[in-house]
Amino acid sequence: MGSEEIVIKGKVVDDETRCQHYYSKRDIIAIKFKCCGTYYPCIYCHEETTDHAVIKWPKHEFDEKAVLCGNCKSELTIQEYISSKSICPYCQSLFNDGCKLHQHLYFEQIDAK
């Protein structure tokens, strides 16, 4: 059983999934878009390089692996990512805490706590 390398599309600038739009030290995730099943670093990369609209992941599919840690290359389920407190559960790398402000662009809204 071979491991398949995950391809990140868009305007990627390094091997930790940073892109032309988001490239701080902690910008190390890519998101698999529901609409095309393809990983992109951000919504802008998706918009600028595809010809279709974004479809958000529905709540009932939050157990799908759809977030990639750019450091250790582990795929996280959406629920793992949302619950991660901006730390990769596999390698403990820090994610950009500001990404929480953009979750509504990728995932159906979860109830505020």
Side-chain angles (χ1 to χ4, degrees):
M1 185 162 117
S3 85
E4 193 176 309
E5 184 176 338
I6 295 172
V7 175
I8 315 295
K9 294 193 176 178
K11 298 183 176 187
V12 185
V13 297
D14 71 14
D15 65 356
E16 289 189 332
T17 76
R18 291 176 191 89
C19 68
Q20 290 180 359
H21 309 101
Y22 296 101
Y23 45 84
S24 79
K25 182 178 180 180
R26 294 186 179 182
D27 287 316
I28 59 167
I29 67 153
I31 298 167
K32 183 190 300 181
F33 280 73
K34 170 76 175 162
C35 46
C36 54
T38 303
Y39 275 101
Y40 289 88
C42 75
I43 197 161
Y44 302 116
C45 284
H46 181 275
E47 288 175 350
E48 293 173 3
T49 60
T50 66
D51 61 358
H52 60 268
V54 170
I55 296 174
K56 296 178 189 181
W57 284 96
K59 292 177 196 174
H60 69 274
E61 292 186 23
F62 280 14
D63 62 340
E64 292 289 325
K65 290 186 176 187
V67 178
L68 180 73
C69 173
N71 181 60
C72 70
K73 310 303 185 245
S74 293
E75 286 186 279
L76 287 66
T77 67
I78 297 165
Q79 189 57 54
E80 283 178 316
Y81 175 66
I82 290 171
S83 303
S84 73
K85 299 186 190 308
S86 299
I87 301 169
C88 178
Y90 299 98
C91 71
Q92 285 66 55
S93 289
L94 299 176
F95 298 147
N96 186 338
D97 199 47
C99 291
K100 291 177 185 173
L101 301 172
H102 306 142
Q103 287 181 359
H104 68 282
L105 300 172
Y106 309 101
F107 315 122
E108 278 186 357
Q109 286 295 281
I110 51 178
D111 298 327
K113 294 181 181 177

